[in-house]
Amino acid sequence: MNTVDVLAPVAVTGPVLLACLVLVAGRWLPRPVIDAVALAGAVGLAVCGALLVHATLAGDAVTWLGGWTPPPGAHPVGIALVVDPAAGGLVVLVGVLAAGALLFSWRYFASVEARFHGLVLLFSAGMTGFVLAGDLFTMLVFFELMGAVAYALAAYKIEEPRSLQGGLTFGVVNSLGAYLALCGIGVLYARTGQLSLAYVGETLAGARPDGPAVVGIVLVLVGWLVKAAAVPFHFWLADAHAVAPTPVCVLFSGVMAPLGVYGVVRVSAVAAPEVPALRGVLVVVGAVTAVLGAVLCVVQRNLKRLLAYSTIAHIGLFLVGATDGGARAWLVYLAGHAGVKAALFLLVGGLLARFGSVDEIDLHGAGRTGDPADRVAAALYVVAALALAGLPPFGAGLGKAALEESVPGALVPVVVGTSVVTAAAVLRAGLRVFYGVGPRPERRVDLERTSGEGEERETTGRLRHATATMLAAPALLLAAAAVVGVLPLIGRVGALAGERLADGGAYRAAVLGTGAVAGAVPEPVSWHPPGVVTGVLTTAAAVVLALLVLVSGRVPARRRRPVRRAIGPVVLGLERLHSGHVGDYVAWLLFGAAVIGIAVAAPTLG
């Protein structure tokens, strides 16, 4: 029995068992013990993921649960866990972000019960199982476990009607995506007689796909795109972030939504190698997602929704990179982005605890108190915003620079523009809230936009200042994002993980036992002078854009009126599409599934 045979099952079952222990013992154990046990479990998961990465650098590893290893040439009947550097790296990311969320909640949730810790651990187990699962149905099982726990976490503040509505919307839309994926899995099973990703891919490889195969693949990918919050399946994500507790947003934004991109890449590379139109369709979906997310990020005043739309925009960039030449770069970008975005969400949570609001206009100058803790929070927020723009040496900047080098030239403006615009929006909010830059905006009723005023605090009463753990968690996550950009080992492993994830042949060979498929060693993701210059320039552009927006309030209203008349109807139309009504979101989901299906099937089967 090798290392992977032990670690892979433990990575899935360990958090589940620990969650059960926490839920049972939480009735008697004091809160600090529960906090420490849950945090230790998250850290242990991250260590387990790091060991899995190390064990699979030379090749993918397969563990058949229960010893159901199929004889050579036989079809499998057991469940396989398949580990490669990408899967192991994502397990590390799940553990790190769960640890950050749990550390932040030590003094944030003054009256939280052990069920929160248990839910976070179960959520971590669901995400871990999803990335390690070697067959489609097991992926769906963990997709549903991840989803069921996420619905409960989104609606954790059950006494608030908005929380219940956001959790319900989240549940309905993602469950419908899961049902479509289940239908696709059923079609592929009928077509190939197998659920194993590798065996499905082996059956479909080398031949022109037929109608059932294309339909099955599209339905499965639509299910994963819903989880990724790609356009037009993205509506639920901002609503869920607006109502979910702040530590939960760290997991939603940092790793849960990106796992949808992972699922798309895994299935398309392994099980759909002969669908030529698929890559082009996914690139278009990614580019549209990036642009729309950036536009909607700019117009938000609710800070949690602003960060959520920034996540949607970056999901689009990850999808573009993973499917059009940026395989070696996007996982590094994801790791750097996750640390930065998690830190930003936790800092916004500190604002909610201190001032009872996440409204950018309402909080104008609120963070300018002179309190040392507020000064630290302000500095961390600004650094995180600059890192989001691509500031060296942070990992987000390194991944962005590598992505710009890898994707076709026509997509570079999308990568650069999305980074600049989203970072400028985040920085604008930070300068306005923490430093009072610019004139105080008008407080006007905006029925088309969620303001963030009157939010229920997630703490018991108002905190006089941020606690040590509330500042330590975002600081550590920012430090981790910097390590991603500085440590050469991460750049080498990230490039290898991305290339291996996109190599469906190596995955199939490992599972089928047909021998390793040797691939070229990719160039490590590392800083080069053009990337450093680009990172500095995009950061400077984000700063200039943020300041221009802030000082535009001093321009007389008559001079601003033509600009508002030109862009106002477009922005208003986009806001109205995000109605908050679950029926509208379901309609868009079905529309998107139909459009993607036609776009993939027409050139493939025509």
Side-chain angles (χ1 to χ4, degrees):
M1 182 176 292
N2 58 37
T3 304
V4 175
D5 289 335
V6 175
L7 291 177
V10 168
V12 178
T13 59
V16 175
L17 296 175
L18 195 59
C20 295
L21 174 64
V22 165
L23 289 171
V24 172
R27 301 180 181 182
W28 303 286
L29 292 177
R31 167 74 185 277
V33 175
I34 296 298
D35 285 334
V37 170
L39 180 61
V43 172
L45 180 61
V47 172
C48 188
L51 294 174
L52 287 174
V53 171
H54 181 266
T56 56
L57 290 176
D60 298 356
V62 183
T63 296
W64 295 92
L65 300 182
W68 286 81
T69 305
H75 285 182
V77 294
I79 296 174
L81 299 180
V82 184
V83 187
D84 61 5
L90 287 171
V91 173
V92 175
L93 186 61
V94 170
V96 168
L97 293 187
L102 289 168
L103 177 62
F104 181 84
S105 66
W106 274 22
R107 298 287 300 278
Y108 185 71
F109 285 127
S111 60
V112 72
E113 298 178 13
R115 65 173 180 268
F116 174 77
H117 304 79
L119 287 172
V120 170
L121 291 170
L122 286 175
F123 192 34
S124 302
M127 292 187 286
T128 300
F130 182 79
V131 300
L132 297 181
D135 68 82
L136 288 167
F137 190 76
T138 305
M139 287 184 79
L140 181 68
V141 168
F142 283 110
F143 179 96
E144 285 291 77
L145 172 61
M146 185 198 327
V149 179
Y151 311 152
L153 287 170
Y156 190 80
K157 297 179 285 185
I158 195 171
E159 68 281 358
E160 296 182 30
R162 289 193 317 109
S163 179
L164 288 176
Q165 182 182 358
L168 177 63
T169 300
F170 183 6
V172 169
V173 174
N174 278 262
S175 294
L176 184 55
Y179 299 151
L180 292 178
L182 179 61
C183 291
I185 292 169
V187 172
L188 288 174
Y189 181 68
R191 171 64 179 78
T192 65
Q194 281 293 319
L195 294 172
S196 168
L197 265 173
Y199 281 82
V200 170
E202 188 71 12
T203 302
L204 299 179
R208 184 183 179 88
D210 54 19
V214 173
V215 169
I217 289 167
V218 168
L219 288 175
V220 172
L221 293 183
V222 166
W224 303 165
L225 285 170
V226 171
K227 183 63 72 179
V231 172
F233 315 115
H234 66 288
F235 296 95
W236 63 269
L237 187 135
D239 291 350
H241 278 72
V243 300
T246 302
V248 175
C249 294
V250 168
L251 294 169
F252 282 5
S253 199
V255 67
M256 182 191 71
L259 285 189
V261 179
Y262 166 85
V264 168
V265 178
R266 178 67 83 196
V267 171
S268 59
V270 177
E274 306 296 334
V275 184
L278 185 57
R279 193 179 82 168
V281 172
L282 292 175
V283 170
V284 171
V285 171
V288 173
T289 301
V291 173
L292 183 63
V295 171
L296 289 170
C297 176
V298 170
V299 300
Q300 301 303 310
R301 52 187 281 194
N302 181 310
L303 296 179
K304 292 174 75 173
R305 291 180 71 91
L306 184 151
L307 294 176
Y309 281 115
S310 170
T311 295
I312 291 172
H314 284 84
I315 288 293
L317 297 185
F318 301 152
L319 191 56
V320 166
T323 54
D324 198 8
R328 57 179 283 272
W330 81 273
L331 286 174
V332 175
Y333 198 178
L334 165 61
H337 169 268
V340 170
K341 186 59 64 65
L344 286 167
F345 267 113
L346 295 182
L347 292 167
V348 168
L351 290 172
L352 179 58
R354 292 274 284 112
F355 306 108
S357 175
V358 290
D359 180 75
E360 178 184 342
I361 295 176
D362 183 52
L363 290 173
H364 183 274
R368 195 172 49 181
T369 63
D371 184 281
D374 287 340
R375 288 200 293 268
V376 172
L380 290 174
Y381 187 99
V382 170
V383 171
L386 297 177
L388 195 64
L391 178 69
F394 287 92
L398 175 60
K400 182 185 74 69
L403 199 62
E404 292 166 0
E405 297 173 359
S406 305
V407 299
L411 293 172
V412 172
V414 176
V415 178
V416 174
T418 299
S419 302
V420 170
V421 170
T422 54
V426 174
L427 183 61
R428 175 205 72 202
L431 293 176
R432 184 172 276 163
V433 171
F434 287 104
Y435 297 100
V437 178
R440 180 178 291 275
E442 301 177 37
R443 290 182 176 174
R444 59 181 184 276
V445 177
D446 191 343
L447 299 179
E448 305 295 340
R449 199 167 298 155
T450 303
S451 69
E453 291 182 285
E455 291 280 327
E456 292 290 334
R457 286 187 176 87
E458 296 163 352
T459 55
T460 302
R462 175 174 175 172
L463 295 184
R464 298 182 60 184
H465 56 81
T467 64
T469 52
M470 288 172 59
L471 292 175
L476 289 173
L477 288 168
L478 266 181
V483 168
V484 171
V486 170
L487 194 63
L489 175 63
I490 295 179
R492 291 197 297 270
V493 173
L496 178 66
E499 293 287 355
R500 291 257 291 276
L501 177 61
D503 185 1
Y507 185 98
R508 292 194 298 271
V511 176
L512 299 174
T514 58
V517 178
V521 177
E523 179 188 354
V525 176
S526 58
W527 287 108
H528 300 293
V532 174
V533 172
T534 303
V536 172
L537 290 178
T538 55
T539 303
V543 172
V544 170
L545 183 58
L547 293 175
L548 286 175
V549 173
L550 290 172
V551 301
S552 66
R554 302 186 188 278
V555 178
R558 67 179 184 276
R559 295 186 179 180
R560 286 180 282 155
R561 201 170 293 123
V563 177
R564 287 184 177 177
R565 280 200 297 262
I567 66 174
V570 176
V571 173
L572 184 61
L574 291 174
E575 289 287 343
R576 285 177 173 172
L577 289 178
H578 299 72
S579 62
H581 298 298
V582 67
D584 294 344
Y585 296 174
V586 169
W588 276 108
L589 190 156
L590 298 176
F591 171 77
V595 170
I596 291 175
I598 293 171
V600 172
T604 304
L605 304 176

